[in-house]
Amino acid sequence: MVGELASGVLKGDHRSLAKAISIIEGGGPDRRRLIQEIYPRTGKAFTIGITGPTGTGKSTLVDKTIEEYRKRGRRVGVLAIDPSSPFTGGALLGDRLRMMDHSLEREVYIRSMASRGDVGGLARAARNTIRVLDAAGMDVVIVETVGAGQTEVQVATAVDATVVVLMPQLGDEVQAFKAGFNEIGDIFVVNKADIVNPAKTMFNIASGVQEKKGWRPPVLKTVALKGTGVPAFVDTLEKFEKFLDEHGLREERMRQRLEAELVEAAFSDFYSETINRLKGEKSWRQLLGQVSRKELDPETAAGKLVKIIAGLDAGPNA
Ligand SMILES: Nc1nc2c(ncn2[C@@H]2O[C@H](COP(=O)(O)OP(=O)(O)OP(=O)(O)O)[C@@H](O)[C@H]2O)c(=O)[nH]1
Ligand SMILES: [Mg+2]
């Protein structure tokens, strides 16, 4: 069944895509089999993370970027991670409606994913969803996230290119920019250039960016609402894509991402399997009892627990 689904994904069938991504989101055992099937067919798509503070116009920019890439004959997959903040919780429906035009096209696929409490789980689901869209033949895969929290940064950097979208005179947000965004951005966009002259904000950003391996992150301005500056933005994305390829950096970055992903996924699986197995362990309950009766301190007990875990029988997935 998963095999059939995988071949549907590889053909770019939208129903199969929807089902496959739901399986990935669910995190059940089929997820592993699905990824097993499609992984050899991944690695062709250019992947882009679009992030930035709430309401800077990321979805609007993504929308126009899809249009521009379509004009250039490239197929586009989009994953929109919804902001979990109660202030922006209404964005889900808005995004869907706004992107509806494109959803109807055959060569564009748009999917939303709810951000849950589980940081590692979301990043993992996002990475695998990118793989599904890639295997489905999308030339470009865009992921939209909000904010500079751990999850967002993890997701926004699980891609080839990270774009940070800001707007003029963000005030406090400029602090947020300094606190995290400037390190992850390969390209900066100051959107809503129609409201306030963006020159000062652009200057501030430009003086804060760091050159990375010969690439000085450019600072662009757009009016996403009208599409102004979007062709130049896509030109810059294509230029960066070429830069990465010419310098072997796409491979290098991918290896680094895989290294982080494997360690994270393994520890996460190990953690949940261990917790399950410990529940049935007498030595674990005894240890807990000793600590609660103050016969043993938590630090010493933690050391003993490491030994108990190391001595557990290998589980079915080992
Ligand atoms: N004036 C102006 N308004 C814009 C521009 N781009 C987007 N907007 C408006 O700004 C609001 C927020 O736009 P979104 O695209 O939803 O912003 P977002 O960054 O995706 O928002 P979240 O996902 O909630 O963080 C909407 O009302 C847009 O119409 C622009 O270039 N100029
Ligand atoms: Mg949005």
Side-chain angles (χ1 to χ4, degrees):
M1 207 212 106
V2 173
E4 245 173 71
L5 186 61
S7 64
V9 167
L10 296 177
K11 283 186 205 120
D13 169 55
H14 279 198
R15 276 187 168 202
S16 306
L17 275 175
K19 211 164 167 196
I21 296 170
S22 295
I23 285 175
I24 280 165
E25 261 194 298
D30 280 350
R31 167 188 61 186
R32 191 167 284 178
R33 263 174 280 154
L34 181 68
I35 295 301
Q36 229 167 47
E37 298 269 341
I38 64 158
Y39 186 64
R41 304 282 290 272
T42 61
K44 286 197 276 295
F46 179 57
T47 58
I48 304 165
I50 301 218
T51 191
T54 306
T56 53
K58 297 176 293 299
S59 298
T60 313
L61 181 65
V62 169
D63 208 37
K64 293 294 200 297
T65 302
I66 294 170
E67 243 171 72
E68 185 59 33
Y69 268 123
R70 286 301 306 133
K71 280 186 198 156
R72 300 181 187 203
R74 299 185 83 180
R75 283 183 273 184
V76 188
V78 176
L79 171 63
I81 314 263
D82 302 306
S84 58
S85 150
F87 300 107
T88 52
L92 171 64
L93 192 61
D95 281 355
R96 277 213 181 126
L97 290 177
R98 222 171 293 138
M99 291 177 166
M100 193 70 106
D101 291 348
H102 304 295
S103 307
L104 301 173
E105 284 184 43
R106 282 201 63 214
E107 315 247 287
V108 172
Y109 184 83
I110 294 162
R111 171 74 172 226
S112 294
M113 192 174 277
S115 58
R116 297 154 293 181
D118 171 17
V119 176
L122 180 68
R124 197 170 182 173
R127 284 191 192 102
N128 283 326
T129 299
I130 294 171
R131 290 195 172 110
V132 166
L133 295 172
D134 182 352
M138 298 300 172
D139 302 302
V140 176
V141 176
I142 304 176
V143 186
E144 182 195 331
T145 56
V146 186
Q150 201 189 339
T151 317
E152 296 75 25
V153 169
Q154 255 185 37
V155 174
T157 53
V159 287
D160 297 317
T162 302
V163 177
V164 176
V165 182
L166 299 157
M167 54 191 232
Q169 290 191 339
L170 270 174
D172 284 353
E173 300 292 6
V174 173
Q175 294 305 316
F177 164 73
K178 283 178 186 148
F181 286 125
N182 65 338
E183 276 153 38
I184 63 171
D186 299 308
I187 297 169
F188 292 89
V189 173
V190 180
N191 187 41
K192 305 201 185 183
D194 55 329
I195 300 181
V196 182
N197 184 343
K200 192 165 166 251
T201 306
M202 290 175 77
F203 175 80
N204 284 339
I205 296 167
S207 47
V209 298
Q210 301 146 358
E211 188 177 308
K212 284 179 265 180
K213 303 201 167 171
W215 176 264
R216 187 163 184 84
V219 185
L220 312 173
K221 63 175 171 184
T222 55
V223 182
L225 210 53
K226 295 186 197 131
T228 316
V230 175
F233 171 55
V234 175
D235 286 346
T236 306
L237 282 166
E238 289 187 337
K239 197 171 144 200
F240 185 60
E241 184 180 355
K242 217 168 142 213
F243 172 86
L244 288 176
D245 283 333
E246 281 171 2
H247 294 77
L249 290 172
R250 203 150 148 188
E251 283 290 318
E252 188 185 311
R253 284 181 165 207
M254 196 184 66
R255 276 189 72 93
Q256 283 167 0
R257 292 200 306 264
L258 284 174
E259 188 180 330
E261 176 181 357
L262 292 193
V263 171
E264 266 168 47
F267 274 108
S268 159
D269 287 353
F270 179 74
Y271 179 83
S272 39
E273 280 171 28
T274 304
I275 291 289
N276 274 336
R277 222 138 355 107
L278 272 180
K279 277 179 196 153
E281 279 294 311
K282 217 168 132 194
S283 51
W284 161 237
R285 286 194 303 273
Q286 279 169 350
L287 191 70
L288 211 53
Q290 284 175 317
V291 179
S292 56
R293 290 192 299 275
K294 295 209 162 52
E295 291 162 17
L296 201 64
D297 68 279
E299 288 295 331
T300 310
K304 283 181 185 287
L305 182 57
V306 171
K307 295 212 172 69
I308 291 175
I309 291 170
L312 287 176
D313 287 338
N317 289 324

